[in-house]
Amino acid sequence: MPAASTTLRMLAVSVIASLTVTGCQTFEDAGVAMGRSELVNDLAARLDRALELTYSADYQLPGGQRASIVQAQDPARSTYTYPGGQLTVTPEAITRCTTAGARPECTLIAPPTPGSKPTVTLFGEANRQGLVTPPVVVGLLTAAALDPQAVIKQSDTTVAGHHAACVAVESSSGDFTTCVTTEGVLGSFTGPVDGKPMELALSDYSTTVDENAFDPPAGAGVIDRRPGGS
C-alpha cells in the first residue's frame, strides 16, 4: 500500500481517538463528537482508496485556469499539474518543474523513502498555485473536527457527473466547503489555505491515464540533483 494511503488512514484513526476519549462529555456532546469522527473517517477513507487507483482528474480553477492530478499503479506514480508548474513523484525521483517561462525547467531530487510518510510541504507549490491536494483537505477536516466550536454540515451533490459527499465547515481558522466523490477523488474545494482564498472543481474524471503524464514537459531543461545524478 502506498505510504500516502497509510498516512491518511492513520490520520483518520487519530482524529477518532482524539474525539472519543475526551472527558466529561454530555450525551449531546458525545453525539457531536461521534458525528465528526465518522465524517472525517469516511472522507479520509475515500481519499485513501483513491490513492490506490489509476485515474486522471482535471480541475477548473478561477479565471479559466486548469489543473490536474494523474495517478497510476505498479509502480505507484503521480503527477500534479497546475498553473506555472508540475510536480511528479515516481520511485525514481521527485521532479519539480516550472512552466511559466519560455522553456520549462525541471529539477530532479531523490524519491521518497519507500514506506515513508508524505509531508504536506511536498505539495506546497501546487497549493500555492491553486491546486489544493487531498492531504491538505484531510488536514483541514482534521483541524475542524478537533475544534469544539466548529460547525460541520454535510450534504450530497453531483460533480462532473459523479456523486459526491460534501461538508461545509465554519470555524475560527476559516470557513471552507469540500466535496469528495464516491470513487474517493477530490470533487471540489472552496476556502482559504494558508490564508489564501482557493477554489477548484472537478471538470473531468477518467480511469485511464496517458503514460507520458509522468514525463517532464516536452523540451524542458532538466537538472538532476539526485545522489549520483548529473
Side-chain angles (χ1 to χ4, degrees), residues 94-115:
I94 294 174
T95 304
R96 299 181 185 275
C97 300
T98 58
T99 58
R103 182 191 185 194
E105 299 290 341
C106 300
T107 300
L108 279 61
I109 61 175
T113 302

